[in-house]
Every structure is written in structure tokens, then in C-alpha cells.
Amino acid sequence: MGRAGTAAGTGGALVAAGPLLLLLLARSPPAAGDSRKSDVRLVSEHFSQSPQKLSFYSWYGSARLFHFRVPPDTVLLRWLLQASRGGGPTCARMEITVYFRYGAPPVINPLGTRFPTNSAVQSPFAIKMLDSNASLNISHPAPGDWFVAAHLPPASQKIEVKGFVPTCTYVFQPDLLVVRTVEVSILEPDVPLPQTLLSHPSYLKIFIPEYTQELRLELQGCATNGSLGCPVRLTVGAATLPRNFQKVLTCVGSTGACRLLLPSPPWDRWLQVTAKSLAGPRVLVAFQAVAALTACRPWNLNFQHLPQSSLNESCNASMGLLPPRPGDRGDLGDRGDHGPGRSSRARGGPCCLASYPVIREDLDVVSVRFWPVDRVWVRVRPATPSVMRLYLDTGMDSGGSLTVSLRANKTGITNSTLVAVCVNAGSPFLGFSTSLNCTTAFFQGSPLTLSAASRKADLIIPYPETDNWYLSLQLVCPESPEECEQASVLVETTLTLVPCLNDCGAYGQCVLLRRHSYLYAGCSCKAGEGWPRASGHWLLCWRGWSCTDNSTAQTVAQQRVAALLLTLSNLMFLAPIAVSVHRSLLVEASVYAYTMFFSTFYHACDQPGEAVLCILGYDTLQYCDFLGSGVSIWVTVLCMARLKAAQKHVLFLLGTLIFAMSLQLDRRGAWNMMGPCLFAFVVMVTMWVRRCGRRRRCYPTSWQRWAFYLLPGVSMAALGMAIYTSMMTSDNYYYTHSLWHMLLAGSAACLLPPREEHTKPWACAQKLTCHYQICKNHREDLYTVT
């Protein structure tokens, strides 16, 4: 397709420079020292959001997300990052990682896990800071959605019990300061726009209509009042993160026209252009800015396929010119002047793309399906790209994953043909005849290929930018181009936006997250969550963006061994149960049996992969396990106090109620369990001291009781508490926690007091005999019969 001609000679530049030189001589330079602060065209605005408490990173939900919206015509964006630390002097300074991204939440990977196959992921832009203040400046940012995410370092492998370590809080709050211009010059296509630069830059913008194939920017007639050449720097486009595709045109030393060509600029939006003088502070620079657009005539396939032979005829007869642009004058197409920089809008030409209409079907939150009108195939030809537009510009589509699945018909593709595919945002890639890199003016697309050897191709884009996305397909023949002249291939497309890929698989759970009114999804990997739900940490056996990284996953044999260790170790509670029944301590035996039962099935439910058995809900089993553990310690210590039966049973009941209340308030707080146990220990010590004073001798009186029962029981209890509070890690959890079960049960069996002197062994069992016996009536007559 032709492009309007441009005068490139020096003569044209000198002719245009005549009136510009007169303008320069007539204008007196302002005082030196002018800066951006004194520019009356600029106004500032401030945006802030409420602070959030940071967490140690374990999955995407651990990161705190902030969502801002940058207004149009912003020339400077400044992030003010504030972090504070609370919890006392014992809290260490933590490194905070802050990510920035335009258009969608940042895709981060602090754990270094693997993404799903065929994922297109860009390295995030991040800065690291301590609990202090920091700032980040971005010049000429893109208007629209900007996202900030922050988190603490990855969670430690050590399992810490709440209450035994200091509680530290780290709070993060970003503020946004924008400086935008209220005076922007509109650069119309084919209309020279005179500009004069001194100390302040000049802000321009041009509207790029739909179906623009190429944009050409040119500086003509550049002149200065104190130096030669054209000392002008032209910055085209807006800055985005993590990748910035701004184009910079420097015209220093150029005596003729200085131009910049941009293929496939973003459609249906304003394009920012900033001109800045590179001359001295008192040097005036004048020039003319000219923009030319090359139109792309689409062949619109409405609800039927046209045969291959009618493609060129339909293109030539098509009237699909560019739509009207803002400020467009109606007589533009009637002009006979096609001088330098004249756009090719008003001239005919061949089709440069075949546009397939796409239907967007909203299924659920962050769940969309796209399909062509005929719902099946897209015909790919060698002459022009076949383009499908995916509408992902609602502002609520960037929180999922865009999946593209293509399958070529095996009857149409041969060994010498290749279907080249590009997925781009903003504008489609149309230059398959010259390159296959999928690069447009301001975006690097994702390439795919379909061939006879590989007829299927898949692409996954986590958190796609808020924009219109384009799928471009074209048939190419690298070895023999003549074979592609009459060839065509049918390609089946499956285009969806899903919250989580494959619903996070068998080892994950798709969680819908929210920041104010913005919704986004993330995978919480649940395979291997043994201890973490009780302690706030996560044992991620299966990891990754979609829980597909099995580099640390356990084998089935390891899962079963871990399950057997954590469940069968509870059988040690049979020892205190037998001792309690032998000594007629039925209440204590019931508590130990309760603890053994629920601890066994809680750990059977809280296992990775296939070795899982849940007889009740996970939360119910966990609550019952924690309740049984606390009440077991409570009744054991009170039983050692040798209280009267009525006092002991009252304290048993009150302690159980207190444990039930405290676990409901905070199940992970260590002092919610340790507090009542310390109270029971004080009661026991008080009763023992009282007996020592009354008997004038140490209690218990037998040295065998001290040597063979109390000291071993206290040693096992102390060792168990040491393991519980300071020795457990993610790697040794299955072994150390199983040892904790055995030590707790063993200490209870050793610390239970001996039976009363008047009580026979297994007295309670003797009352459950099945033979006949003579019963005595011990009832007292309460009434006298007269």
C-alpha cells in the first residue's frame, strides 16, 4: 500500500524555515532559570490509598495490591512509598519488595517456581526498600490503570508458634502524585503544526484511528537563533512498566527533514508526543511537526465465508476506509494537494487484513469466552493476515489468565507451509511478509507457529493488560513462496479468559481476591498443607503460578509415610488410657481417648496429595484436635494435685469451657492454651506445698515415684514443649510433630497419680461383669409407712 510522499530535500526545509526565523527574531527570550516548576501549563494532583499490613510471601494472595488510575495528559508520575515497622525494638528491619505494572497486576515469582508450559511472562519491574520512605519517578506515563504490589521476603522454613516470638507488623502505603498538562496541541494528520521551544517542552498528541497501518512523524523547517542543525528531542508514546516501548527521535545535526516511522501504532487512542529543545537556555528553536497516517483497508467477513477467488474482488470493492477522527474536516478527501506528509487515508488500495468478527460471552467473574461468528474455523491465507479482536478493555478483565488454543486442519497444511501467529495488545501485527517477531510500534507480541509437524499451539498470558487484544494469523511458505499463492488453512480457535488456569489443578484452589472494587484471582496450592493452617505458614509441596511445579512435591510413598507417622503416633495415647482405667480415672481416660481420636483423623485429613481421609470438615477436626490437646494437659495436671472429687470435676468442666472459648477467639495463640495450663500448675504446686507442710515431709513421699514416674514424665513434657516451640521446620515437621504426639502421651502416662488406697485395680472394669451376683440394697428409707 502506498504512503504519501514527503519532501526530504534541503530546499524544502529552507523554504519552510523562512517564516520560522522571523518568528524567532520577533520573540524575546525569557529570563534564564525557567524550569518545569514555573510552567503555568502544568497542574498537580494527589491520590492516596489506605495502608495495608504486609505479609511474608508464600503465594500471590500474600502480596498486597494497590490500584491507581492515572489521568490523561500526565507528564510526570511520582510514587511516594511509605513503610513503617511496629512491634517494639525486638523486630528486625525487613526488606520490602515493591512491584509496578501498567494495565494489570504485576506477575511476580519470588519463590522462583515454574510457570505453566506455554506461558508468556515478562520479568516484573521491582524495587527493594527497608521500612522507610522511597520514591519513583516516571516521565510521560501511560494513562489508565496502574498497579502496585508489595510483600515481605518469602516465609521462613521454621515453624514459629504464635506467642513465643515477637509480633511484628510492617505497614505499607503508596501515594501517587501526578503532574499533568492542561495545554496540549492537537497534531492533525497532514497538517503542519508550527512549534517554538525555549526552556519548556512542547506537548502534542495525535489520535490514531482504527485500521492505521503506519504512522510517520516528521520535523520540517527546523531553525534556531543561535546554533546550526535541529537540536530537538522527540519522545513518542507513553511510558509503561515492566517494559517501556517509548520511541525517541533526536534530530541534533540534522539540516533536512527528521522523521520517525512507527508500524502498527495502537488503535483508537491518543498518542503522546513531547518535543524538547537540546539547545542552550536562551536559544529558541522553531520547527513544523507533520504526522502522516497510512490507512489499512480491512476486508470485513460478516456472517459468511467468501471463496478464496473472491478475496481480491471483495477487497477492491470494499469501502472500509478509516473512520472519522476527532477534528477531521470533511473536505480532506477532496483535496488535490498531496504534498509532503499527506496521509493515504483518501486513496484506495488493497486490503491489508481480513477482519473476523468476534463475539464476547461473559460467563462469570473474570471469566469470558470469545468465538468467531461461525463458532468454528478461521480461514488463514497468504496474502493478508486474518485478525480477530478480543475485547479485554472493560477494566475488570486483567485479573485472570488469557488462554489461546489453536489447531490447524491437517488437510490444508503441508510440509512446506507454516501458519504464523501473533498475539498483541493495542494493535495487530501486520508485517508477516518482512518479519515474524510480532513487534508493533509499542508492544512486543507473543509468537506462535502451526505446521504439519505441530498442528496445535497454546499460549497462556497471566493477567493480560487492559486493552483490545488482537490475534493475527497468516500463511507463509519460507522455502517455496509460490506454493502459498492459492493455499489456505482452516484454524480452529479456542479463546478464553479464566480466573485460574485449569482451576489450579488437583493440588490447588482458585481463590478470588479483592482490592476495593477490583477483583483478581490466584492459585492457593494446597498439596502438602500439613502444619501451616495451624501456624500460619504454608508447606507448598506443589507450587507455582497454577500449582503445577512439582519440584518439591512428595511422592505417593512419602505422602503415605508422612500420613502414617502423624496418625499412628497418636496410638501412644493408649498408654495413658490404660493407666487411667487401671487407676479408676474414667474422666481422664475419656479425655485421652477423645484427643487420640480427633488428632488421628485431623492429621489424616491434613495430608498432601492422595493420602487424605476427612471424616468431618477440616476446620471442625482442627478445632477438636486443639481442644483435646489443651484439655489433656489440663486434666493431667489437676489430677496430679489430688483434689477432692467434687473440686476436681468442677475444675475439669470450667477448664474445658475456658479452652473452648479461648480457641474460638484465637486458635493459633500459644498463651490461650498455656494460660489455663499454668493456672492448673499453680493449683498443683499449692496442694503439694500444703501437704508437705502438713506432713512435715516431701510430697510425694516415695523416691521411686520421683525417679521412675515424675522425672521421666517432666523430662518428656519439657522435651515435647521444646520441640513444639523451637525445633519444627517445614522439612522435619512430619517427624518432629509425630515425636511431639508420643512425648505428650508418654508424659501423661507417667505423671498420672497412683490409685487411691481403698480402690482396687481395674475397679471400674469389675463393675461391668456379665454374670449374676447378689446385689445389696444401700438405699435409705426416706419415708416411714404407717
Side-chain angles (χ1 to χ4, degrees), residues 44-185:
S44 61
E45 297 177 354
H46 185 264
F47 303 91
S48 181
Q49 289 192 10
S50 58
Q52 295 192 65
K53 181 180 176 181
L54 298 181
S55 302
F56 292 97
Y57 188 85
S58 57
W59 67 295
Y60 199 87
S62 307
R64 298 296 175 258
L65 188 69
F66 299 86
H67 180 203
F68 292 89
R69 189 163 186 86
V70 176
D73 303 329
T74 299
V75 298
L76 178 64
L77 182 152
R78 174 172 294 176
W79 298 102
L80 304 176
L81 311 177
Q82 306 174 40
S84 60
R85 168 172 47 113
T90 57
C91 296
R93 302 186 70 184
M94 286 290 178
E95 186 180 65
I96 301 173
T97 306
V98 186
Y99 303 87
F100 301 87
R101 190 186 178 192
Y102 167 75
V107 180
I108 62 179
N109 188 19
L111 302 178
T113 57
R114 294 196 300 261
F115 282 88
T117 308
N118 303 319
S119 296
V121 180
Q122 299 179 1
S123 298
F125 177 85
I127 63 173
K128 295 183 181 296
M129 57 179 291
L130 297 175
D131 45 350
S132 58
N133 297 334
S135 63
L136 175 67
N137 295 339
I138 302 176
S139 298
H140 310 291
D145 296 329
W146 282 80
F147 293 85
V148 179
H151 63 78
L152 295 176
S156 173
Q157 293 293 318
K158 183 178 180 181
I159 298 176
E160 297 176 344
V161 180
K162 184 179 178 181
F164 287 89
V165 293
T167 303
C168 304
T169 57
Y170 301 87
V171 178
F172 178 78
Q173 180 182 14
D175 290 341
L176 177 62
L177 178 65
V178 299
V179 178
R180 63 182 182 89
T181 178
V182 295
E183 182 180 332
V184 183
S185 300

Side-chain angles (χ1 to χ4, degrees), residues 402-416:
L402 176 62
T403 63
V404 178
S405 180
L406 306 175
R407 185 172 63 90
N409 190 352
K410 62 181 179 180
T411 59
I413 194 167
T414 62
N415 294 330
S416 59

Side-chain angles (χ1 to χ4, degrees), residues 30 65 159 183 206 217 314 353 356 364 374 377 417 507:
L65 188 69
I159 298 176
E183 182 180 332
I206 179 174
L217 291 174
S314 300
L353 65 89
Y356 280 80
D364 205 338
D374 58 7
W377 302 96
T417 57
Y507 301 102

